[in-house]
Amino acid sequence: MKIYDHKKIEKKWQKEWDKKKIYSVKNTKGKKFFGLIEFPYPSGDGLHVGHIRSNTAMDIITRKRRMQGYNTLYPIGWDAFGLPTENYAIKTGKQPEAITKKNTDTFRRQLKELGFGFDWDREINTTDPAYYKWTQWIFLQFYKKGLAYKARIAINWCPKDKIGLANEEVIAGCCERCGTPVEKRDKEQWMLAITKYADRLDKDLDTVDYLEKIKIQQRNWIGKSEGSEIDFKIKNSDEKITTFTTRADTLFGAFALTLAPEHPMILKIKSQILNLSEIEKYINDTKKKTDIERTSEDKDKTGVELKGVKAINPVNGEEIPIYIADFVLAQYGTGAIFADMHDERDFAFAKKYNLPMKQVLNNPQGIESECFTGDGILTNSGKFDGMTSEYARKEITDFVGGRIVTKYKLRDWVFSRQRYWGEPIPMIHCEKCGVVPVPEKDLPVVLPKVKKYEPTDNGESPLAEITKWVNVKCPKCKGKAKRETDTMPNWAGSSWYYLRYTDPKNKKEFASKKNLKYFTPVDWYNGGMEHTTLHLLYSRFWHKFLYDLKLVPTKEPYQKRTSHGLILADGGEKMSKSKGNVINPDAIVKTFGADTLRVYEMFMGPFDQHVSWSTDSMVGPRRFLERVWKIYNKIVAQNMLKNKKNLSRVGAPVERVKREDFIYSSAYLTLQATLHKTIKKVTEDIETTSFNTAVSAMMICLNEMEKAESVDEKDFKMFLQILAPFAPHITEQLWSELGEKKSIHLSLWPKFDPKKVIDNEITIAVSVNGKVRAEIKISNEMNEEEVKAMAMKDHAVVNWIEGKEIKKVIYVKGRLVNIVF
RNA sequence: GCCGGAGUGGCGGAAUUGGUAGACGCGCACGACUCAAAAUCGUGUAUCGAAAGAUGUGGGAGUUCGAUUCUCCCCUCCGGCACCA
């Protein structure tokens, strides 16, 4: 009798799969499936159990597809540019390349030890010049189309990391990475005009199959809102101020015009302002504040009136005061609003400064509240009185010559980083010609070797000090010029990596048209929720841009997107090095085996929800696999009996069974029904990422097989096949032990037999007035009347209904009978 | 504040076109095997109760023959956004 020893079999099959390249995609023929996980950042800590959760899930999906006959691509690579490596280089004096090499070697070893079916022939690395050549090339295309531009803007500056951050990287006013409050700094930055794609990024979400919460989060981030632009003239001046509002219906109630402190109009009408010094002080104070300070003052509204200047309400000619206030944002809308009492902020502002307010909406429900912000019926609004808000918005906008417009919260993407370990932005600054792109033939612009990686506090990249690299000839005039020393953010390489997988070694294009047409879009992409408004949005943007250039064949990169929940430490806290609660997968693989770890991670809870790690619970999945092995032993024993071989060699306790009798027994039919139900459930559950219930179903099936007197070898093989995506090593071993020559992972996915799924005898409940009082066994063939009659006759039921007048009897097929009196 | 998600035994969790709540697993208890232990196997395991039975899916109301599932109100936790006009 052989014993399950994961150490013996896991290494063996990993080598075998590698040698035979069973997971490599060799052609572009037939139906395809492209499954994708977010390629890992190779940190020095090695693989995290969270990686394993996501990777195993997609490994199961792709293995199933492969067995269903799809030409299946499941690639892997390294998103290797980024701060942790650079910081480690600064600390240790080692080169980022060397660190990356070491880390990717560790990750590769770990991933292989877990038995993932990656196509290792397509491994990519964003820090490889042969790869980032194309990242730079795509940037040049953005530049050519005017979507990459330089702007002097106030950026989010992290004083600890000494790096500029994109808006998406600032969490509650603090650096996403280190938690330091960010400062504002004016700097020349490369920008990508993602806002030009805002509308399509929003609208095209309708065409893809993403989890609803992902769509909602992206939509909220893009922040589409429809409203009106309305111009206010300034009294005694030719100037006008454009406001943006979604509530044009409240225009009659405007009591002030409120501008962002950064609003350019303030400079233009400077001469008319009587309290200029007060205004300038307020503007300066605002500038000094960080975002946290500006928003954390309990939302207390502050502002200053521009004395000596009045605006004219276009709807009724009323003169109203003009204020500047820091709660009005320069970046959104037009940086100017009109204030009215049907908005909580304006209401609070008016209360604070004792401004007179006028009610112009009645609550249709008739409930009086101090500040009514809903849609209502217009009042005090001249000829618009009595209109509904919705209708009046359009009418009033038309009446004052306003424009219906759409605005977005999304802002352009700050694309410069003042750090070393990133793709150099392929631009040259010439004294004569200005900004000149590096000619495509000169790509890649390779990162030069440097001695010191420290960023500087003046906001320049360490690259700026490498004069030999910085000083170049202008590609246009051959005169003196300097290279751009900013690098790209780490979101650059990951914005298009899935495309490279289709043709990873191509030297002429980022990928051939033919391969792109065959493999894209990605059919199923799984990743973390934390990337919803970062990577996922950025890569959709890049993809749409490439689509517009006719370089990719689809409008969207990913057809389907799911996300996994985090794996938390035992107490429900996040795993972190500082807390010392990180689980090392290497140790788990050693003691329990990769198959157990995989099954455990799939079984521990619903895939899309957070779960807490518990090493103690791993014995369940381990026992499960050991018992699978025991069924194999049972079959070996059965076969020996059948072949009348020497019984003493069979270790398992086996009773003599006449197989022919068993085949037609009801026990056999029950086992068949369980097996086919399990095949059905596992097949379906994988599609809905309900891996936990799939494992549970297989456990139930195994329990049945254990109880059975005999297990049919063919049936057991089917069981191994549906288990194979979850536990690839043990199933491969047993598959081959049972005489199969070809890998189980290249075998055909079993189909359930609909006829066998139906039970011929079932137990249903009988309830009286909704309370369950008995159980009865019924057969398939019984009709409703027969079942009801049987239920009424049950002695436990009779006790309850005796002498009562039965009002009705309800029968739910295959479920229950309810008797009501 | 707004937008999502969740609340079920000692623990992880299962079950929703409304139909036997607690599947499966962990843990625990008892038993078998063993000189013994571990492992393994078997039985049991929501709560109260000797039992009959009653109660029970965050709390409160409602619809229904029947509600974890649907409706209304409220509470707690997690995630995202946060003065977006």
Side-chain angles (χ1 to χ4, degrees):
Chain A
M1 183 167 72
K2 287 181 183 168
I3 297 253
Y4 174 41
D5 178 359
H6 66 268
K7 283 181 191 145
K8 264 192 201 158
I9 62 168
E10 291 186 350
K11 278 264 150 50
K12 178 180 109 188
W13 289 111
Q14 283 157 17
K15 271 188 203 152
E16 180 79 6
W17 297 332
D18 244 3
K19 205 176 88 194
K20 291 198 173 152
K21 292 182 183 285
I22 70 165
Y23 308 122
S24 293
V25 179
K26 292 163 191 111
N27 58 51
T28 53
K29 286 183 197 117
K31 54 182 182 178
K32 65 92 185 178
F33 182 80
F34 188 172
L36 186 68
I37 43 132
E38 286 162 351
F39 61 161
Y41 174 74
S43 76
D45 304 331
L47 204 63
H48 187 272
V49 287
H51 289 121
I52 299 173
R53 193 178 195 198
S54 168
N55 294 8
T56 304
M58 191 49 71
D59 198 43
I60 289 167
I61 294 161
T62 51
R63 280 174 187 278
K64 183 187 167 204
R65 285 287 187 283
R66 198 176 288 117
M67 290 170 79
Q68 286 174 324
Y70 288 82
N71 192 17
T72 300
L73 176 59
Y74 186 32
I76 183 72
W78 317 107
D79 187 16
F81 275 129
L83 270 187
T85 301
E86 183 169 342
N87 288 338
Y88 190 71
I90 292 167
K91 218 163 71 186
T92 60
K94 287 181 184 148
Q95 296 211 325
E97 287 94 333
I99 298 164
T100 300
K101 166 82 171 55
K102 187 168 165 271
N103 291 348
T104 52
D105 285 349
T106 304
F107 266 72
R108 191 181 303 106
R109 190 205 86 229
Q110 290 183 306
L111 291 173
K112 288 197 176 187
E113 283 177 1
L114 281 153
F116 295 128
F118 291 126
D119 182 347
W120 288 100
D121 292 341
R122 291 168 189 262
E123 182 181 340
I124 58 170
N125 186 326
T126 54
T127 64
D128 178 356
Y131 178 90
Y132 69 68
K133 170 184 177 174
W134 297 107
T135 312
Q136 292 173 333
W137 183 85
I138 296 170
F139 180 85
L140 290 180
Q141 310 312 308
F142 275 114
Y143 180 77
K144 274 192 205 162
K145 293 287 172 189
L147 294 174
Y149 62 97
K150 229 176 177 188
R152 187 165 192 93
I153 54 151
I155 60 151
N156 307 298
W157 178 262
C158 173
K160 183 157 176 282
D161 288 339
K162 292 171 184 169
I163 192 169
L165 301 169
N167 296 317
E168 290 83 342
E169 293 170 304
V170 179
I171 308 296
C174 294
C175 172
E176 176 191 53
R177 248 180 232 97
C178 65
T180 311
V182 301
E183 296 168 359
K184 291 280 173 195
R185 274 204 186 182
D186 270 348
K187 245 192 130 333
E188 282 258 298
Q189 298 284 321
W190 282 100
M191 308 284 293
L192 285 188
I194 190 171
T195 51
K196 292 247 160 55
Y197 282 75
D199 188 45
R200 285 161 65 192
L201 288 168
D202 180 290
K203 215 192 288 165
D204 288 352
L205 284 172
D206 288 335
T207 68
V208 288
D209 177 19
Y210 291 6
L211 286 185
E212 202 50 35
K213 62 175 173 180
I214 297 174
K215 288 191 184 182
I216 290 168
Q217 212 168 301
Q218 283 214 350
R219 286 217 161 95
N220 287 346
W221 186 261
I222 294 165
K224 183 175 181 172
S225 104
E226 285 176 12
S228 315
E229 279 185 356
I230 292 169
D231 297 335
F232 283 67
K233 282 197 179 118
I234 296 174
K235 195 185 169 190
N236 302 328
S237 160
D238 295 334
E239 301 290 351
K240 59 177 187 184
I241 293 172
T242 303
T243 62
F244 174 67
T245 182
T246 56
R247 297 301 302 269
D249 51 315
T250 64
L251 187 55
F252 276 90
F255 59 77
L257 210 59
T258 323
L259 312 184
E262 298 91 341
H263 200 283
M265 185 58 66
I266 297 160
L267 284 176
K268 283 193 190 167
I269 54 173
K270 224 173 170 178
S271 57
Q272 295 180 52
I273 301 173
L274 303 174
N275 57 340
L276 192 59
S277 64
E278 190 188 0
I279 296 293
E280 279 172 344
K281 184 177 178 300
Y282 186 84
I283 293 170
N284 279 329
D285 286 351
T286 306
K287 249 189 205 162
K288 276 188 220 148
K289 287 182 195 168
T290 64
D291 272 359
I292 312 186
E293 287 169 329
R294 215 171 140 169
T295 54
S296 70
E297 292 162 6
D298 277 336
K299 297 186 178 172
D300 192 19
K301 306 281 175 286
T302 64
V304 191
E305 186 181 353
L306 303 180
K307 299 230 166 89
V309 200
K310 294 279 182 201
I312 295 162
N313 187 343
V315 83
N316 55 11
E318 263 178 34
E319 283 181 21
I320 54 173
I322 304 176
Y323 280 77
I324 59 169
D326 65 1
F327 73 87
V328 179
L329 304 174
Q331 316 89 318
Y332 184 74
T334 58
I337 58 164
F338 68 80
D340 68 270
M341 73 173 288
H342 300 285
D343 177 283
E344 277 174 23
R345 292 152 303 181
D346 296 340
F347 185 83
F349 190 72
K351 279 256 157 165
K352 178 164 179 180
Y353 293 102
N354 273 322
L355 304 177
M357 291 186 276
K358 186 168 75 178
Q359 184 176 336
V360 290
L361 284 180
N362 285 324
N363 186 336
Q365 267 90 48
I367 304 155
E368 288 302 320
S369 60
E370 247 203 328
C371 172
F372 170 63
T373 58
D375 275 5
I377 308 295
L378 271 71
T379 180
N380 293 325
S381 297
K383 64 174 181 171
F384 301 95
D385 280 0
M387 278 187 194
T388 60
S389 288
E390 197 187 349
Y391 188 62
R393 282 197 273 274
K394 199 186 162 297
E395 291 295 307
I396 292 181
T397 304
D398 284 350
F399 179 70
V400 299
R403 304 159 295 278
I404 302 285
V405 291
T406 305
K407 299 282 181 190
Y408 301 90
K409 289 187 204 172
L410 189 69
R411 292 182 225 163
D412 275 350
W413 176 6
V414 182
F415 200 68
S416 294
R417 296 292 182 276
Q418 293 71 43
R419 297 290 295 224
Y420 171 77
W421 194 229
E423 301 89 344
I425 291 177
M427 289 290 168
I428 289 168
H429 300 274
C430 171
E431 286 168 14
K432 277 188 214 153
C433 317
V435 176
V436 182
V438 171
E440 288 178 15
K441 67 174 172 51
D442 293 342
L443 295 180
V445 177
V446 178
L447 265 177
K449 296 255 189 296
V450 298
K451 289 204 186 81
K452 284 174 70 187
Y453 302 102
E454 279 91 342
T456 55
D457 205 35
N458 65 13
E460 293 247 47
S461 156
L463 290 173
E465 286 173 25
I466 320 295
T467 44
K468 250 173 88 183
W469 182 79
V470 170
N471 294 322
V472 285
K473 276 186 199 163
C474 169
K476 254 193 200 161
C477 71
K478 309 293 173 201
K480 267 192 181 175
K482 286 183 188 298
R483 281 194 192 281
E484 171 64 61
T485 59
D486 281 356
T487 52
M488 298 187 198
N490 57 334
W491 309 110
S494 60
S495 287
W496 70 282
Y497 74 112
Y498 55 95
L499 298 171
R500 188 63 176 172
Y501 282 139
T502 67
D503 197 5
K505 298 187 175 77
N506 196 325
K507 286 187 177 150
K508 292 181 192 147
E509 309 156 277
F510 62 82
S512 76
K513 285 263 158 62
K514 182 190 156 208
N515 285 22
L516 287 170
K517 185 148 195 266
Y518 179 72
F519 286 112
T520 66
V522 171
D523 294 285
W524 192 336
Y525 191 17
N526 185 73
M529 276 310 282
E530 72 275 17
H531 289 131
T532 303
T533 55
L534 292 159
H535 160 66
L536 195 64
L537 195 64
Y538 291 152
S539 60
R540 289 184 61 224
F541 162 49
W542 278 44
H543 192 93
K544 286 184 178 303
F545 172 69
L546 293 173
Y547 174 78
D548 289 347
L549 297 184
K550 299 192 166 51
L551 295 172
V552 295
T554 61
K555 286 185 182 174
E556 285 284 337
Y558 319 116
Q559 184 46 43
K560 176 174 181 150
R561 168 81 179 188
T562 51
S563 78
H564 54 270
L566 294 178
I567 295 186
L568 306 168
D570 212 343
E573 286 183 308
K574 259 194 179 177
M575 284 190 188
S576 73
K577 251 206 287 192
S578 57
K579 282 184 191 136
N581 55 10
V582 179
I583 298 293
N584 178 2
D586 285 346
I588 303 283
V589 168
K590 214 173 155 192
T591 43
F592 291 94
D595 284 341
T596 300
L597 177 53
R598 293 169 58 117
V599 173
Y600 169 64
E601 289 212 10
M602 292 300 99
F603 183 59
M604 60 197 297
F607 184 64
D608 59 348
Q609 279 171 38
H610 296 184
V611 283
S612 298
W613 183 268
S614 160
T615 306
D616 290 344
S617 300
M618 290 204 41
V619 293
R622 171 71 198 194
R623 284 178 191 154
F624 167 64
L625 295 179
E626 281 174 5
R627 283 158 50 216
V628 170
W629 193 281
K630 280 187 188 165
I631 301 291
Y632 159 73
N633 281 333
K634 187 171 177 171
I635 285 169
V636 172
Q638 277 169 203
N639 288 346
M640 281 183 169
L641 262 179
K642 206 167 107 191
N643 300 332
K644 295 183 177 135
K645 280 193 179 168
N646 186 357
L647 262 179
S648 67
R649 289 184 56 208
V650 182
V654 177
E655 286 167 30
R656 284 187 176 276
V657 180
K658 281 187 192 161
R659 255 181 114 262
E660 290 69 24
D661 291 351
F662 178 72
I663 289 288
Y664 300 103
S665 69
S666 76
Y668 178 75
L669 292 176
T670 306
L671 184 56
Q672 284 269 302
T674 306
L675 175 71
H676 283 267
K677 271 188 217 163
T678 308
I679 295 170
K680 181 170 188 282
K681 178 136 183 76
V682 171
T683 304
E684 289 166 358
D685 279 359
I686 290 174
E687 297 309 312
T688 55
T689 66
S690 311
F691 305 107
N692 54 333
T693 50
V695 172
S696 149
M698 287 188 283
M699 285 173 167
I700 292 167
C701 185
L702 180 78
N703 290 345
E704 293 284 325
M705 286 194 283
E706 267 185 341
K707 275 186 228 151
E709 290 174 274
S710 166
V711 175
D712 195 87
E713 185 174 324
K714 269 190 215 141
D715 288 348
F716 182 59
K717 277 186 177 172
M718 284 205 267
F719 179 80
L720 288 178
Q721 284 178 301
I722 56 170
L723 177 60
F726 295 80
H729 307 90
I730 185 174
T731 49
E732 183 79 305
Q733 176 69 27
L734 296 179
W735 183 255
S736 100
E737 295 271 2
L738 290 169
E740 293 287 344
K741 295 280 178 286
K742 219 173 118 191
S743 170
I744 191 171
H745 306 299
L746 302 176
S747 70
L748 211 60
W749 185 256
K751 281 202 172 106
F752 71 91
D753 184 341
K755 272 179 261 161
K756 288 181 178 163
V757 169
I758 301 160
D759 292 295
N760 55 343
E761 191 184 72
I762 49 169
T763 305
I764 65 164
V766 183
S767 57
V768 179
N769 282 353
K771 291 211 155 108
V772 177
R773 299 299 181 187
E775 279 181 355
I776 54 171
K777 277 188 181 173
I778 61 164
S779 84
N780 267 335
E781 290 96 45
M782 288 170 79
N783 64 29
E784 182 167 343
E785 290 314 310
E786 286 170 320
V787 173
K788 280 181 180 173
M790 189 175 170
M792 304 282 279
K793 265 186 267 167
D794 188 277
H795 69 275
V797 176
V798 170
N799 284 340
W800 287 96
I801 59 174
E802 214 165 21
K804 301 283 197 296
E805 191 192 333
I806 307 295
K807 281 194 192 132
K808 58 178 162 177
V809 179
I810 296 153
Y811 174 54
V812 182
K813 197 165 188 297
R815 294 285 184 174
L816 58 58
V817 177
N818 190 19
I819 301 160
V820 186
F821 62 78

